[in-house]
């Protein structure tokens, strides 16, 4: 019985708090405009999902994403992400997607419609933005 409890605890998904997010995360959102504030969505591998308004505020938890879906998005991000810094010159408003890991960070940003990309990368970006709760 004790062995079973230890096995269940070792398989438990870690839960994070707004002030202690892991180093590995996908960040995406929009920014600029009159206020210049970025709205950032933060996805963790365990499916936890957060929203942050501006850099001075604390992230607020949103409904979680299924862990398998989050894992798939991380796999796609690692396969297609690193290398690009900006897709085009940024205008007054912009969208962005970033992948952060312990020793690597990459972020792309674009204004207006998403420029032509590798279809798999474009699908990843669309899948991420589809996670944003509708108001």
């Amino acid at each position: 019985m004790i062995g079973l409890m230890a096995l269940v605890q070792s398989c438990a998904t870690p839960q994070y708090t707004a002030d202690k997010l892991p180093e590995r995360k996908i960040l995406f959102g929009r920014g600029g405009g009159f206020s210049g504030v970025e709205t950032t969505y933060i996805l963790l591998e365990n499916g936890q999902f957060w929203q942050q308004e501006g850099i001075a505020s604390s992230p607020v938890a949103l409904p979680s994403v299924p862990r398998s879906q989050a894992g798939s998005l991380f796999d796609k991000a690692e396969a297609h992400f690193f290398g690009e810094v900006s897709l085009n010159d940024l205008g007054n408003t912009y969208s962005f997607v970033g992948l952060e890991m312990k020793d690597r960070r990459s972020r792309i940003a674009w204004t207006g419609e998403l420029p032509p990309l590798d279809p798999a990368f474009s699908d990843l970006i669309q899948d991420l933005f589809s996670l944003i709760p509708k108001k």
Side-chain angles (χ1 to χ4, degrees):
M1 184 68 164
I2 293 174
L4 179 60
M5 288 177 53
L7 178 63
V8 169
Q9 285 181 336
S10 69
C11 294
T13 302
Q15 295 295 302
Y16 298 97
T17 59
D19 61 335
K20 296 217 185 245
L21 296 177
E23 294 177 332
R24 188 174 156 96
K25 53 192 164 267
I26 297 175
L27 300 106
F28 61 99
R30 294 183 176 87
F34 179 74
S35 67
V37 174
E38 272 190 7
T39 299
T40 302
Y41 296 91
I42 305 164
L43 179 63
L44 307 182
E45 282 185 285
N46 68 358
Q48 282 183 277
F49 193 40
W50 305 82
Q51 179 180 352
Q52 183 175 15
E53 295 288 337
I55 57 173
S57 69
S58 293
V60 175
L62 296 173
S64 292
V65 171
R67 184 178 180 169
S68 60
Q69 182 181 8
S72 175
L73 291 168
F74 270 84
D75 290 345
K76 290 176 187 176
E78 283 191 41
H80 298 286
F81 212 92
F82 293 107
E84 296 281 345
V85 175
S86 182
L87 293 177
N88 61 22
D89 294 330
L90 296 182
N92 186 38
T93 60
Y94 58 92
S95 300
F96 64 91
V97 176
L99 176 61
E100 293 187 4
M101 301 168 68
K102 182 176 183 174
D103 56 350
R104 289 179 84 178
R105 291 176 186 227
S106 187
R107 177 176 157 135
I108 62 165
W110 65 94
T111 294
E113 294 295 316
L114 186 62
L117 296 170
D118 172 331
F121 194 42
S122 182
D123 288 347
L124 167 66
I125 291 170
Q126 290 176 12
D127 289 346
L128 289 169
F129 277 87
S130 74
L131 297 175
I132 297 173
K134 307 295 183 246
K135 292 183 180 185

